[in-house]
């Protein structure tokens, strides 16, 4: 479902540069996304925005939110973004990607977007992150926690996404 009044609000948001972190702090906290807010369920749009920025594209956060409200956020975004729609959203905004369910493939990739269960499958809630593999083999993870405004460095992807918690990953090409 689309909320026309949201688009005008989205256009007025001044985003921190260059990447987005901490969906539940700062200016993003109260930005509407469906029936909820970016602070509550906006990790999907943040991951898409960061992927576009990383690939050298000029992301328009208002357009991203509008598109995802229309296509990727069932039940008026009450539960956030549908994990298996991220690949289509990335492609729609010009980011080539490949879906995978393999930790090995994700950890070998230069960058990607991961959807995972936060605590326990389904009832623990899900979360999206965007990551970049560093030259030293560590991973710079954006929006790892919704209440921290800085990216996190992780030695392995398993440090962020525990065993049996991976929903789906998207390797950026």
């Amino acid at each position: 479902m689309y909320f026309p009044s949201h688009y005008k609000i989205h256009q007025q948001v001044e985003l921190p540069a260059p990447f987005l972190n901490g969906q539940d702090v700062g200016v993003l906290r109260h930005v509407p996304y469906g029936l909820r807010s970016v602070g509550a369920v906006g990790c999907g749009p943040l991951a898409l925005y960061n992927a576009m920025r990383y690939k050298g594209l000029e992301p328009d956060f208002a357009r991203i939110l509008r598109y995802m409200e229309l296509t990727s956020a069932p039940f008026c975004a009450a539960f956030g973004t549908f994990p298996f729609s991220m690949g289509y959203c990335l492609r729609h905004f010009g980011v080539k990607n490949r879906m995978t369910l393999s930790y090995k493939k994700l950890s070998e990739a230069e960058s990607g977007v991961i959807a995972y269960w936060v605590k326990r499958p389904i009832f623990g809630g899900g979360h999206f992150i965007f990551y970049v593999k560093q030259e030293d083999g560590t991973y710079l993870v954006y929006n790892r926690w919704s209440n921290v405004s800085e990216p996190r460095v992780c030695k392995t992807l398993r440090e962020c996404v525990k065993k049996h918690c991976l929903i789906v990953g998207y390797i950026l090409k």
Side-chain angles (χ1 to χ4, degrees):
M1 175 176 247
Y2 177 58
F3 300 87
S5 62
H6 287 184
Y7 189 66
K8 288 182 181 181
I9 296 168
H10 296 159
Q11 288 178 311
Q12 296 171 4
V13 175
E14 291 186 33
L15 298 172
F19 293 92
L20 301 180
N21 276 290
Q23 70 194 55
D24 201 22
V25 295
V27 297
L28 299 174
R29 183 177 198 168
H30 299 294
V31 173
Y33 180 51
L35 293 175
R36 309 232 7 232
S37 69
V38 171
V41 294
C43 54
L46 263 72
L48 174 55
Y49 179 94
N50 288 337
M52 289 179 68
R53 176 72 68 194
Y54 177 74
K55 285 300 188 178
L57 302 170
E58 286 296 323
D60 180 341
F61 198 56
R63 284 189 58 228
I64 290 169
L65 288 170
R66 180 175 58 185
Y67 180 79
M68 292 183 91
E69 278 182 339
L70 282 167
T71 64
S72 310
F75 308 110
C76 301
F79 304 105
T81 305
F82 182 60
F84 294 96
S85 67
M86 182 58 75
Y88 298 109
C89 294
L90 287 163
R91 278 191 288 283
H92 176 80
F93 286 100
V95 180
K96 294 180 182 178
N97 67 87
R98 185 179 68 236
M99 185 178 87
T100 185
L101 299 172
S102 166
Y103 274 108
K104 183 179 180 190
K105 289 179 182 177
L106 288 167
S107 64
E108 292 171 351
E110 177 185 314
S111 62
V113 173
I114 298 175
Y116 65 96
W117 299 115
V118 176
K119 294 180 183 171
R120 58 189 176 116
I122 301 172
F123 302 106
H127 190 59
F128 280 96
I129 57 172
F130 169 73
Y131 72 92
V132 177
K133 190 172 186 177
Q134 303 294 293
E135 289 181 16
D136 64 359
T138 61
Y139 300 88
L140 188 59
V141 180
Y142 294 90
N143 200 39
R144 170 66 177 97
W145 290 292
S146 60
N147 62 351
V148 177
S149 60
E150 297 296 322
R152 164 128 168 122
V153 176
C154 297
K155 291 181 184 176
T156 68
L157 287 181
R158 290 234 191 234
E159 190 177 319
C160 294
V161 182
K162 305 296 183 211
K163 190 174 183 177
H164 305 299
C165 288
L166 176 68
I167 299 172
V168 64
Y170 298 93
I171 297 169
L172 305 187
K173 296 180 179 180

